[in-house]
Amino acid sequence: MKITRAVVPSLFTVLNMFCGFGSLIHTAQSDYILASWFILLAAVFDVFDGVMARITKSSSDFGVEFDSLSDVVSFGVAPSFLVYHLQLHLLEGPGMLISAMPMVFGALRLARFNSSLVSYDKDYFKGLPIPAMALMIASFVMSFYHEGTNLNALESSLLIPMIIILSLLMVSSMKYDTIPRFSARGIKQHPARFTVAIAGVTAIAITRGGALFPFLVFYVSTGPLRYLVRFIQHSLHPVEKELEEKDTEITSVDV
């Protein structure tokens, strides 16, 4: 059997999926903090499989589909099972439906992404990325869950609205910044994005993970805020909106 360069990114994809499986196991054992850590580790491997695919120049349709399958496990099934086992099982049927939303809407988001790779904008994601949704849930659990006391009344009341909003944002058309490439060209193209990323990573490291949830709240809010700003601009300048829509139609035809 011939081993090709494509094995390298696929190995990180396997590790991503394995971490999702590990999260499921620890959730079943009621070790919710460790289950959340496995979701975070899966996100790290998810980043590295893309990086290694670019370094080895081994991107392929197989890699894209395999990556999406692992993402459904690690960032769809794992967080859904986590919130169900942690809290929402108390609501029985409705709790099961709400818990399934990250998994179902995440799968829809990945299917839409894979079907639109030809017209994919490398500077922005269309809709909230599924790893960001999963990290938001995992960091929420890590920040507010306390072994023996579970979530308090306020935190429990925030969980359901957060799950619903995150799920809907994944299938929305709102734009989210992609992760900036740590290269001279990437810094030159997106200096503000690079600065925010470095500041966020530094804050998370200094606080030993304490700043992760606030940073993700900031990132998730950029989608609705960008949409609101664009809506106000188009309301004040309707001519610019018409020109932008025409440019979009022309680009779609060219693609």
Side-chain angles (χ1 to χ4, degrees):
M1 184 176 64
K2 183 179 180 181
I3 299 177
T4 64
R5 292 178 296 177
V7 171
V8 178
S10 294
L11 175 61
F12 283 95
T13 305
V14 169
L15 291 173
N16 171 7
M17 187 180 291
F18 178 79
C19 287
F21 180 63
S23 177
L24 292 170
I25 290 175
H26 287 287
T27 295
Q29 296 172 348
S30 299
D31 192 348
Y32 304 121
I33 298 298
L34 191 54
S36 299
W37 273 110
F38 267 99
I39 293 175
L40 265 65
L41 188 58
V44 173
F45 288 128
D46 185 52
V47 171
F48 273 103
D49 70 3
V51 172
M52 296 308 298
R54 289 192 294 269
I55 292 176
T56 59
K57 297 180 180 180
S58 56
S59 298
S60 64
D61 292 337
F62 170 83
V64 171
E65 298 299 334
F66 188 33
D67 182 68
S68 292
L69 289 172
S70 66
D71 285 354
V72 169
V73 174
S74 299
F75 309 130
V77 178
S80 285
F81 186 54
L82 175 61
V83 294
Y84 178 77
H85 202 279
L86 171 66
Q87 186 72 29
L88 298 186
H89 68 279
L90 299 173
L91 300 179
E92 298 182 346
M96 185 184 298
L97 292 175
I98 296 171
S99 300
M101 289 182 70
M103 176 183 65
V104 174
F105 283 79
L108 289 172
R109 194 237 179 275
L110 289 168
R112 184 181 67 179
F113 175 79
N114 288 354
S115 63
S116 61
L117 280 176
V118 177
S119 57
Y120 171 54
D121 186 348
K122 294 183 179 180
D123 288 333
Y124 297 99
F125 292 115
K126 184 179 180 181
L128 180 68
I130 185 173
M133 177 278 300
L135 288 175
M136 184 86 168
I137 292 175
S139 62
F140 176 86
V141 174
M142 294 171 66
S143 298
F144 300 111
Y145 171 76
H146 304 286
E147 189 173 354
T149 59
N150 214 325
L151 301 175
N152 62 36
L154 176 61
E155 294 157 357
S156 298
S157 65
L158 294 175
L159 184 60
I160 292 177
M162 182 183 71
I163 291 171
I164 295 173
I165 291 171
L166 291 174
S167 299
L168 293 176
L169 284 175
M170 283 194 292
V171 294
S172 72
S173 59
M174 295 181 185
K175 287 186 175 182
Y176 283 91
D177 293 335
T178 57
I179 299 175
R181 294 188 181 185
F182 289 81
S183 62
R185 183 180 179 184
I187 296 172
K188 187 176 180 180
Q189 288 179 333
H190 305 288
R193 192 181 301 182
F194 183 81
T195 302
V196 171
I198 291 296
V201 171
T202 303
I204 292 168
I206 292 175
T207 59
R208 297 182 179 180
L212 179 59
F213 181 69
F215 181 75
L216 287 168
V217 170
F218 164 75
Y219 178 74
V220 171
S221 65
T222 59
L225 287 175
R226 179 182 280 117
Y227 178 84
L228 180 61
V229 170
R230 287 169 62 87
F231 178 79
I232 294 173
Q233 289 176 339
H234 291 160
S235 298
L236 296 175
H237 306 284
V239 177
E240 292 183 4
K241 181 180 179 180
E242 293 178 4
L243 292 174
E244 189 174 301
E245 289 176 348
K246 289 181 180 179
D247 290 339
T248 303
E249 291 176 1
I250 293 172
T251 303
S252 300
V253 172
D254 289 342
V255 171

